[in-house]
Structure formats: C-alpha cells, structure tokens
Amino acid sequence: MRRLRTSAAAAALGVAAVLPLATAVQPAAAAEAKLDNPYAGAKVYVNPDWSAKAAAEPGGSAVANQPTFVWMDRIAAISGSSAAKGLRAHLDTALAQGANLVQIVIYDLPGRDCSALASNGELGATEIGRYKTEYIDPIAAIMSDSKYAGLRIVNVIEPDSLPNLVTNAGGTAGSTDACATMKANGNYEAGVGYALHTLGAIPNVYNYIDAAHHGWLGWDSNMGPAATEFKKAATTGGATVNDVAGFIVNTANYSALTEPYFKVTDSVNGTTVRQSKWVDWNYYVDELSFAQALRTKLIGEGFNSSIGMLIDTSRNGWGGTARPAGSGPLTSVDDYVNGSRVDRRIHAGNWCNQSGAGLGERPTTAPATGIDAYVWAKPPGESDGASQVIPNDEGKGFDRMCDPTYTGNGRNGNSMTGALANSPLAGAWFSAQFQQLLANAYPPVGGTTTDTQAPTAPTGLTSSAKTSSSVSLSWTASTDNVGVTGYDVYRGSTLVGSSATTSFTDTGLTASTAYSYTVKAKDAAGNVSAASTALSVTTSAGGTTDTQAPTAPTGLTSSAKTSSSVSLSWTASTDNVGVTGYDVYRGSTLVGSSATTSFTDTGLTASTAYSYTVKAKDAAGNVSAASTALSVTTSGTSNGSGCTATYKVSSDWGAGFNADVTVTNNGTTAINGWKVTWTYGGQQKISNLWNGSYTQTGQAVTVTNAAYNGAIGAGGSASFGFGATNSGGSNAVPTLTCTAL
C-alpha cells in the first residue's frame, strides 16, 4: 500500500552552530535502522565554507546558519583544497557540530550536462571507467568509514543528467549532439546506476535522483518517459529501486514552490490558462504540485511506496516589490497569468543567475504530503555560470544563456535570458546574486522574535458578482500585531484558493447551485485566524448555447521563412464570447493549432510553394470561415560553398589558449547549418567548446553548429569559441574550411 506523508506538525530542520574544525570530533555512532524520511528528527550539517561567505555579506548572518548541500563537482573536490574542504573534512566537521545528517551533491558524470557550457565537466563522454574508479569509488570509501556510521548521508545523484536524455536527445528544439551521444553510449544510465548501487550499499546513505522541474518535465510527453528513464537507470549496473530513497526537483533552479494567485485549472473568458504563453500547455505551474504528481507516477513505475521528494527552495522565493499581491486582470489569459504569477522570469526555460529572484522557504522537514524536506541544494550566492568568457582549469565554458544581452534560443522560446551581469564561473561566489536573493526573499528574512498571535477573523464577507460558473467575493481586511500577508478562501471545507487582497473569484462552478464560503487570514509566521462568518451564494442559471462563430482571421502574412520552414502571423479574430485558438491549414491539411496569432510550419521542402489558410475557433466549438489564402515559397538550399570562417586566438598562456571562430554566410540565401574543419600543425588539443559541437582526431578538428546558431541569413554570421591545451610546438593559426549545410 502507498504510504502518504502528511504535513501535520511540520518541523523546521535542526541547525547546529558553526564550530571550528579544531573542535574535538565526536566518537563514531552506530548506524541506525534505515528511515523512510532521513530528515525526520535530524540535526543537519551547516557547511562552514558557505556559512562564512554568507555571514560576510551585509545582512547575510540572518541565513548563514542554514544547512546547504556540498557539491562534489570534480574529482579534486573529494580531497579538497586550501580554499574548500574535501569530503572527509566535511564529514569530520559535521561530527564536530553534533550534526547527524550531511547533504552531498554527486555531480561529475562523463559528458556532464550534455556538455552544457557553463556546467561542462572534466570527464569526456566515454570516460565511464574514470567516473567509477576515480570519482565514485573514492567517495564510497570515505562514506563507508565506520567513523561516520552515525551520520545520515543524503546524496543528490547527478543533476540534469537523466532528464536531458528525455528532452534534449531526440531532435527537438532543445536537442544537442552531445545529448544524443550520451543517450547512444548509455554512460549516463551506467554512471547513475553505478553511483546508486555503490553508494546505496552503505547502510547510512540515502540516494535521491535528480528529476529536473515542472518547466522541464511537466508535460505528459515528458513526465511519463522521464519516469521510465529513471526506472531504467535505477535498475542498471546492479542497482535496484531499493537504492533510491527518493527524488529531488528544482535543483539549482528558480521555479516557484507554489503559485498562490492562479491555478492550472483556471480559465479566462473560456480560455484555459494552459493556453497562455507562460504555461504553454504544461500541466503544472509550480514545484509542489509537480513533485507530488511525479512521486505518484514513479510509484506506479515500480519505485517503493516509501519514496519521498525533496524540493530545492534556495532561490525560488520571488519576493520583493515585483511580487504580485493578487490575481492578474481578466482582459486575456496572458494578462491574467502574467499578472498572477510570482515567478517573474521572462521564460521558465531561463536558468542562469536570474534577475529578481529571492531566497525561498527555509529548509524544513516534511512540509507537505509526499515531501521529505524543502532543502537548499544550490547554496545561495554560488553562480550558475559566467556572463562572459573566463579562462579556467575546471572545464567550464561560456554559455550565452548567462549573458544578459543574449536574445535566447529555441530552448527558452527565444526570449531574453534574464541573467545578471558580471557573473563569475559556475560555483564561484557571486556577491551581487546573494544580495539580490536576500533582498527578494519570500518569506522575507526577518529578525529573531517569534510571532504567535493570529490575525483577527475577516468580516463583511459578501458576493460582489456571480455568473453561472463563478462567484466573486470580497470582505473587510483583518488586522494583526505584525501584519496580514494573505487570506485563504474555503468552499465548504475545501481550500479553493488564496488572495493577498480582500477579494477572490471562485470559478468552475455549476449553474443554479448553492455554495458556502468562509475566509481565514494569515500572517508571515504562519498564524491563521478563525474563519469568517459563512456566506451562501447560489450561482446564476445557465445561459443560452453559443452558436456564433468567430470572424475569419485577416492580414495573414509570412514573417520569416527558411528552406524548411514558414513562420506565419495574422490579425486576431473577434467573437461574441471569446476566441480560444486558431487552426492552421497547409492546403486542405491541418498542420497545427495556436493559442496566439502566430505559427511556424516546419519540415518543408526547399524552393517549394505552399498555400496557407487560418480558421478561428471558440470554446463552444464554433469555427470561423477561412482566412484569405497566402502562398509562400520556401528558400533554396545552399550549394555548400556559401560560408567562410576566420580564426582568432584571444588569449595564450603557453600551455593553453582560448580561440574564437566567426562563421560568415557569403551567399545570397540563408543557410541552415555549417561545418568548419582544420588541421593543427602542433600539439593543440581542444578541451571544451561553446556554441557548437566538435570532434578531434589527432590534429584534425571538425566543428558543427549548435541547434540554435546553425541558421545564418545572407551576409550574416555566427561564432563559436573554445579552450585548448598546447603540449608542444607553435600555436600558428590553422587554415579553416567552412561548408554550408
């Protein structure tokens, strides 16, 4: 039977004072019996390396005693350095603190993160042997020391790895050649399986597999395959589901824990919020609902019913002055969602040092059903990646998604990145980010006084408007000794929503039906008032059937085209109730639908004429007449000789160098891809490359475009760069050959 974890009497994680390493280490304790939730009753280790940096920031002492994960992001991190403790030193310090739970991130797979530039790792795609013998085995040897038997060791296993195989290895807009390579060679599954099996054999170790976030896996087309992929990895290389204590979501990401002012089931003028540009047909709008639903699916896939979920809340608070105080306007579904959402990113795919973010919920044990803990997996103040090229010996490249001037790619809907400027390498301390997170924390970072006084009960509850399917409520504000932060609205005994104002609209109701409502006020400390006096409201009778079709779309035009795609846009139709979307036809064939006034048709043939029409539709199923037909001819293919490439060494320190290559389309038509080749005359060897994919055999190098920079218009250009070593000989500029694809 499935065991449900309840949120009753949720307790904050115990936090020890930070003690110097010289403090006497406590004697080893015997290993305890395995727990369903290792965080239950735990005193969690505070990393003094991170704590000291946080405490040195203005105001940082307020959160410097929070427990954070320690990232083992390269082989050298296991032994540590003068600047950062190694794994054994962390475990010793945990004993000195009197802690009984330590949190570690296992993060060094071959071809890590599909060779994503900012988070690229030290091991090549085929170096699974080194991963096992030089990385996992030494970690296991330390963790299995009987000295640490009394410590519960929680491991997060390889962030981003398995989700990448689901979404970025199958030819979609986010796919990369590196992901396809890792899917084909099986080394992600082999590595995760080996880590689970080897570390899971240690009695006091608890493994949680990384499961991305709702903005990555929240669609049915992703969630189901992800659960299957997790099961495959968890039963590879000797691993079993018994080696898995649970899963973690939102690692190092910014997705909101909850969205209090709109639900995925809401609709505006007959249009579901799932059609909004922000939600984009996702089934989830926050991490809590996603984590709980994913847990159910994973149990159905064959994982133990005792598994729990962790949610990284280190950077998803989204407080500050930009945080909305209630639901958005009902003028359109996009206006409603954009005005309601507390996640203020331009696009849910933006992940690098996001502007406006704040600290989220403090680490907490068993806060909700199925959730083992809210944790700070990504230590606040540690950068996601550099905003410009920074030479380094950690294998970390430059990802344009960390550049605040970059206009994005297919993986983030071609939106601006929303990244902070002047950011350092991934993992390096970023003071400006920490200060922003502190200022925008939600719940806010306050003093030490405990508030135990609840607000007064709301009064004057009344219905300000109603329809056959909705009731609008308003009430008189409550008072509180510190301040009211919001209101919870109940239909009978069911919580149907929350509001930061003194009004709320309940939707999705049945016509001619009586409903009873009450409202409770709450404050920042979690104190909740008594309920208001109940109010009974009967919805209006149902209206007449809508039989009027929208007007036909007008102004159909082609906004862009390539040899294999046509982008269309048109003027919005009108309707007596509301337009819910548009169907796009190529000739007499329906090729797709759009909730907006634009659509891109792909998979076409070069130099070919296509005829398009568009029809509008409403919620009642009425369909408009077709727009006026538009004929568009796709561009011609390149003859393969339309590009040139120039090579420039940007920095050279003898044993290594960085270089930049610019690819220019010299033809008269757009190209859809490119390949650059050259042969070195010395002992140069590329170690990491950004904005493209490369292979090197001896002195011969081949670089092909990334998914987002292959298309170059006539006269336009794209670029890539790389870091390389030079173990002998000169570093002369080679002769480059460019081929348009």
Side-chain angles (χ1 to χ4, degrees):
M1 295 292 292
R2 176 183 171 190
R3 180 182 63 78
L4 296 180
R5 298 161 187 263
T6 65
S7 59
L13 294 176
V15 175
V18 178
L19 301 179
L21 187 58
T23 302
V25 175
Q26 300 298 316
E32 62 188 344
K34 207 83 165 185
L35 303 172
D36 280 351
N37 182 358
Y39 288 86
K43 189 174 186 179
V44 186
Y45 171 58
V46 177
N47 178 5
D49 291 345
W50 174 82
S51 182
K53 294 173 184 176
E57 295 283 344
S61 59
V63 296
N65 65 341
Q66 294 293 344
T68 56
F69 275 70
V70 176
W71 287 61
M72 295 287 108
D73 61 353
R74 56 192 183 280
I75 293 169
I78 301 171
S79 56
S81 67
S82 59
K85 291 179 178 61
L87 177 58
R88 186 175 290 279
H90 279 295
L91 298 181
D92 286 342
T93 309
L95 292 176
Q97 287 183 7
N100 68 344
L101 190 149
V102 177
Q103 305 173 110
I104 306 294
V105 175
I106 305 298
Y107 188 50
D108 201 27
L109 272 179
R112 188 174 73 192
D113 216 353
C114 289
S115 300
L117 303 169
S119 54
N120 190 16
E122 62 190 342
L123 299 180
T126 61
E127 294 186 292
I128 187 65
R130 290 190 63 198
Y131 176 76
K132 293 177 179 179
T133 61
E134 297 181 38
Y135 181 68
I136 294 298
D137 288 353
I139 289 174
I142 294 172
M143 290 183 176
S144 61
D145 190 326
S146 60
K147 177 182 182 180
Y148 308 123
L151 285 176
R152 305 171 193 174
I153 301 175
V154 169
N155 293 324
V156 163
I157 304 297
E158 296 295 350
D160 292 353
S161 59
L162 301 178
N164 263 317
L165 298 185
V166 175
T167 63
N168 294 338
T172 63
S175 298
T176 69
D177 291 342
C179 273
T181 296
M182 299 316 300
K183 185 172 184 177
N185 70 21
N187 281 341
Y188 278 3
E189 293 151 348
V192 169
Y194 188 80
L196 290 172
H197 176 59
T198 305
L199 301 175
I202 304 170
N204 53 313
V205 165
Y206 298 81
N207 294 321
Y208 289 79
I209 299 175
D210 184 79
H213 53 89
H214 88 272
W216 191 344
L217 299 181
W219 293 268
D220 279 351
S221 56
N222 291 342
M223 184 184 276
T228 301
E229 179 61 46
F230 296 148
K231 177 67 176 300
K232 180 180 179 183
T235 52
T236 295
T240 73
V241 294
N242 295 324
D243 294 317
V244 181
F247 292 77
I248 183 170
V249 300
N250 210 41
T251 303
N253 203 46
Y254 298 82
S255 295
L257 180 66
T258 59
E259 285 287 359
Y261 306 126
F262 80 105
K263 306 184 295 294
V264 76
T265 54
D266 289 346
S267 60
V268 177
N269 301 322
T271 301
T272 172
V273 301
R274 293 188 61 229
Q275 289 183 251
S276 67
K277 292 179 181 178
W278 175 259
V279 180
D280 191 26
W281 294 102
N282 203 311
Y283 280 98
Y284 304 93
V285 296
D286 57 44
E287 288 306 292
L288 180 56
S289 63
F290 169 70
Q292 291 170 324
L294 178 60
R295 178 177 179 271
T296 299
K297 186 169 286 292
L298 290 165
I299 292 171
E301 190 70 28
F303 285 94
N304 295 329
S305 61
S306 60
I307 61 168
M309 307 296 289
L310 305 178
I311 303 177
D312 185 358
T313 60
S314 61
R315 303 184 299 176
N316 69 345
W318 295 105
T321 57
R323 184 181 178 89
S327 299
L330 299 176
T331 47
S332 74
V333 70
D334 284 321
D335 291 343
Y336 174 70
V337 170
N338 289 333
S340 301
R341 59 185 171 90
V342 298
D343 186 339
R344 305 312 298 168
R345 286 177 294 177
I346 303 168
H347 190 277
N350 290 354
W351 54 266
C352 195
N353 297 318
Q354 289 300 285
S355 176
L359 300 172
E361 292 283 347
R362 313 310 175 249
T364 307
T365 296
T369 301
I371 310 300
D372 280 352
Y374 297 152
V375 298
W376 282 7
K378 176 76 171 185
E382 292 189 3
S383 175
D384 296 323
S387 55
Q388 58 188 343
V389 177
I390 299 178
N392 66 92
D393 60 357
E394 300 177 25
K396 296 172 181 175
F398 169 52
D399 194 315
R400 289 296 304 278
M401 289 300 293
C402 297
D403 177 358
T405 68
Y406 181 48
T407 54
N409 55 50
R411 280 169 280 180
N412 80 322
N414 295 105
S415 69
M416 296 293 287
T417 67
L420 295 172
N422 303 314
S423 57
L425 285 175
W429 189 255
F430 190 8
S431 177
Q433 185 214 61
F434 183 87
Q435 286 296 318
Q436 173 189 264
L437 294 175
L438 197 64
N440 293 333
Y442 193 88
V445 174
T448 58
T449 301
T450 301
D451 174 19
T452 59
Q453 183 174 327
T456 61
T459 58
L461 180 60
T462 186
S463 174
S464 54
K466 63 181 181 179
T467 69
S468 60
S469 61
S470 67
V471 169
S472 295
L473 303 168
S474 61
W475 55 89
T476 302
S478 298
T479 59
D480 185 66
N481 63 317
V482 177
V484 175
T485 58
Y487 300 86
D488 289 336
V489 181
Y490 291 82
R491 185 198 315 132
S493 60
T494 302
L495 176 64
V496 293
S498 301
S499 174
T501 67
T502 56
S503 62
F504 179 82
T505 298
D506 187 23
T507 59
L509 307 178
T510 302
S512 304
T513 302
Y515 295 94
S516 178
Y517 292 95
T518 54
V519 180
K520 296 179 182 180
K522 55 189 178 183
D523 62 21
N527 301 304
V528 179
S529 76
S532 68
T533 301
L535 172 71
S536 180
V537 185
T538 301
T539 51
S540 305
T544 58
T545 302
D546 175 19
T547 60
Q548 183 175 328
T551 61
T554 59
L556 179 61
T557 186
S558 173
S559 53
K561 64 180 180 179
T562 69
S563 61
S564 61
S565 68
V566 170
S567 295
L568 304 168
S569 61
W570 56 89
T571 302
S573 299
T574 59
D575 186 66
N576 63 318
V577 176
V579 175
T580 58
Y582 300 86
D583 290 336
V584 180
Y585 291 82
R586 186 198 313 133
S588 59
T589 302
L590 175 64
V591 292
S593 299
S594 174
T596 66
T597 56
S598 62
F599 179 81
T600 298
D601 187 23
T602 59
L604 307 179
T605 303
S607 304
T608 303
Y610 296 94
S611 179
Y612 292 95
T613 54
V614 180
K615 297 179 182 180
K617 54 190 178 183
D618 62 21
N622 301 305
V623 179
S624 76
S627 68
T628 301
L630 173 71
S631 180
V632 185
T633 301
T634 51
S635 305
T637 57
S638 171
N639 60 11
S641 60
C643 66
T644 57
T646 57
Y647 180 110
K648 177 183 178 182
V649 176
S650 56
S651 58
D652 191 333
W653 54 94
F657 64 97
N658 286 334
D660 297 304
V661 176
T662 300
V663 178
T664 302
N665 177 8
N666 297 317
T668 57
T669 61
I671 62 176
N672 296 315
W674 45 263
K675 177 175 69 175
V676 178
T677 59
W678 69 87
T679 300
Y680 279 124
Q683 299 301 313
Q684 301 96 325
K685 181 174 177 60
I686 295 177
S687 55
N688 64 298
L689 182 142
W690 49 94
N691 296 339
S693 299
Y694 79 97
T695 58
Q696 181 171 358
T697 304
Q699 296 173 305
V701 178
T702 299
V703 180
T704 55
N705 59 273
Y708 50 84
N709 65 353
I712 307 176
S717 63
S719 63
F720 64 89
F722 59 88
T725 59
N726 186 8
S727 58
S730 66
N731 193 23
V733 173
T735 300
L736 274 59
T737 299
C738 184
T739 304
L741 304 177

